[in-house]
Amino acid sequence: MDNKGSALIFTLIIILILSVLALSILDVSLFEYKASYAYGNSILVNNAAEAGLDTAKGVFNKNLFDNLNNLINNTANTLINKYSSLIPPQTVPKEVMYEAIYQAVRQYLENNVFNAYQNYQFYLDDKNTIAVTISYIKITDLQTFDGTNILPKYTVRIETIGTFKNLKKYGHALIILDLNKSGNPITISSWIIDNTPPSN
């Protein structure tokens, strides 16, 4: 009888140990699943913020550069004709030419290009759960004529928000548009995805 009682106690102890081990393994598995799930969501929301930056950067394409070249030529020709019609005819001062082109290009970019992307939103999935918002694209500096660059250059700031469920990530980019450069006139100065909301 004592042997049966000991065996029962021993069996119960073994079952208790196995139950604790099973619960520990289940707990570890759940933790790994949650960590993996959270990591997957973090990747999705990062991709959303980055997609916003890529979309905004995409406005600087060949079509835009062709339009800017035409605008620059038209602005320059208008000024040249205006100064040529003076009595006596005069040459357009470089500072005047630079300022006229600077303002014409800036107004074109802000009114005809960047305006379309202020608080522009789209989704990366069919269920409309991974949201991308381009908060704004805007020129953040005033590059005055310095005697070295014939054409102006601009620093363009892009701010985006990626959203998935209750997660948010923010994209921040600075792009330099230098109209003096041949080929591709844009350079990426900074490109960051982080937890800092867009600044105004």
Side-chain angles (χ1 to χ4, degrees):
M1 191 74 172
D2 288 340
N3 287 342
K4 287 183 180 179
S6 297
L8 180 61
I9 292 171
F10 181 73
T11 303
L12 288 174
I13 290 171
I14 294 295
I15 290 171
L16 180 63
I17 291 170
L18 290 175
S19 298
V20 168
L21 282 173
L23 284 173
S24 297
I25 291 169
L26 181 63
D27 193 43
V28 168
S29 297
L30 280 172
F31 175 78
E32 287 179 356
Y33 170 77
K34 287 177 182 177
S36 175
Y37 184 74
Y39 178 74
N41 289 349
S42 176
I43 294 294
L44 285 175
V45 79
N46 274 14
N47 289 346
E50 184 128 30
L53 293 181
D54 280 326
T55 300
K57 180 177 161 267
V59 305
F60 298 97
N61 53 37
K62 185 182 181 304
N63 187 48
L64 174 64
F65 298 142
D66 288 344
N67 289 341
L68 292 182
N69 282 333
N70 290 335
L71 178 62
I72 289 166
N73 290 332
N74 291 339
T75 303
N77 289 334
T78 300
L79 262 181
I80 289 167
N81 290 337
K82 180 181 175 183
Y83 274 73
S84 296
S85 66
L86 295 174
I87 300 174
Q90 296 179 26
T91 304
V92 183
K94 288 181 180 179
E95 305 85 35
V96 173
M97 181 68 79
Y98 179 94
E99 183 63 24
I101 291 171
Y102 178 91
Q103 292 301 336
V105 170
R106 181 169 188 149
Q107 286 175 11
Y108 178 81
L109 289 173
E110 289 178 342
N111 297 334
N112 299 341
V113 181
F114 298 165
N115 249 5
Y117 289 91
Q118 302 303 319
N119 293 309
Y120 175 73
Q121 188 175 67
F122 61 96
Y123 295 91
L124 294 185
D125 62 333
D126 294 336
K127 295 179 181 177
N128 294 349
T129 58
I130 308 170
V132 179
T133 303
I134 300 173
S135 298
Y136 62 78
I137 311 175
K138 64 182 177 185
I139 295 167
T140 58
D141 62 349
L142 176 61
Q143 297 280 348
T144 55
F145 181 67
D146 62 5
T148 56
N149 293 315
I150 299 169
L151 295 173
K153 64 179 181 178
Y154 308 84
T155 302
V156 180
R157 184 177 195 88
I158 303 169
E159 299 282 355
T160 66
I161 305 169
T163 309
F164 179 64
K165 297 187 177 176
N166 61 341
L167 299 174
K168 281 190 178 183
K169 285 284 184 171
Y170 304 95
H172 317 273
L174 286 179
I175 291 178
I176 308 299
L177 173 62
D178 187 351
L179 299 175
N180 297 281
K181 285 175 61 178
S182 58
N184 187 355
I186 69 163
T187 306
I188 296 172
S189 175
S190 70
W191 188 279
I192 300 166
I193 308 296
D194 62 18
N195 295 315
T196 308
S199 56
N200 293 322

